Amino acid sequence: FMSIQMEASLKMAAHRKVLTMGTVAQQTFSIGDITNMFSRDIRLACAILNDFSLASVPPIQVGIGLTLVYEIIGPAALTSLAAVCVLTPLQFIFGKMFIKRFRAYQTSSGIGMKAKSELLAGVRGMKYNGWENPFKKLIRTLRVIEVGKLLLYHLYQTPATVLGVVI
């Protein structure tokens, strides 16, 4: 909520500044360029605020929750703290693997899309020279690689999602 309010107030201030800019600045930069620069900075400031709140609020919530649970059930509440301490690094590790697999899938998908678009662009020459079967094999091979990377991506995504729900 704070991020939305901050973004709205910063955008209003940026637009007000653009409207009152001097003639020298108007000759150097267009209003659209300045607005784009301000918008990028505003998005970055809002992202930093979001990241800060995401990093600072959960430990406070966990501490308050553990204190309340400790008052009700006693020392057994510390097992949940131990579980969080063990599972959080595991989630981080799976998240790193997840990102690596997703990037590999994106790369192979991009290669496949490029080959398919080149195939469609040169379909007349391919038909004329009788190259349908070699291109068909190439596209099938690229698709198998792409689906394999997609499978690995989902295999790494599942444990990270499960750990995220558990934590």
Side-chain angles (χ1 to χ4, degrees), residues 21-30:
M21 108 184 153
T23 56
V24 174
Q26 286 179 354
Q27 290 173 353
T28 308
F29 299 103
S30 72

Side-chain angles (χ1 to χ4, degrees), residues 36-82:
N36 284 340
M37 286 188 275
F38 277 130
S39 295
R40 188 176 50 234
D41 293 342
I42 289 169
R43 279 193 307 264
L44 181 62
C46 291
I48 289 171
L49 181 66
N50 264 347
D51 292 345
F52 176 74
S53 65
L54 287 174
S56 62
V57 172
I60 295 169
Q61 289 176 335
V62 168
I64 292 171
L66 281 176
T67 303
L68 294 173
V69 171
Y70 185 79
E71 288 179 7
I72 295 170
I73 63 172
L78 297 177
T79 57
S80 62
L81 176 65

Side-chain angles (χ1 to χ4, degrees), residues 2-48:
M2 276 181 16
S3 169
I4 295 170
Q5 285 181 333
M6 183 174 125
E7 183 176 2
S9 64
L10 285 174
K11 280 185 179 180
M12 285 175 43
H15 289 296
R16 192 177 306 125
K17 180 65 177 172
V18 167
L19 292 175
T20 61
M21 108 184 153
T23 56
V24 174
Q26 286 179 354
Q27 290 173 353
T28 308
F29 299 103
S30 72
I31 291 176
D33 291 337
I34 293 173
T35 304
N36 284 340
M37 286 188 275
F38 277 130
S39 295
R40 188 176 50 234
D41 293 342
I42 289 169
R43 279 193 307 264
L44 181 62
C46 291
I48 289 171

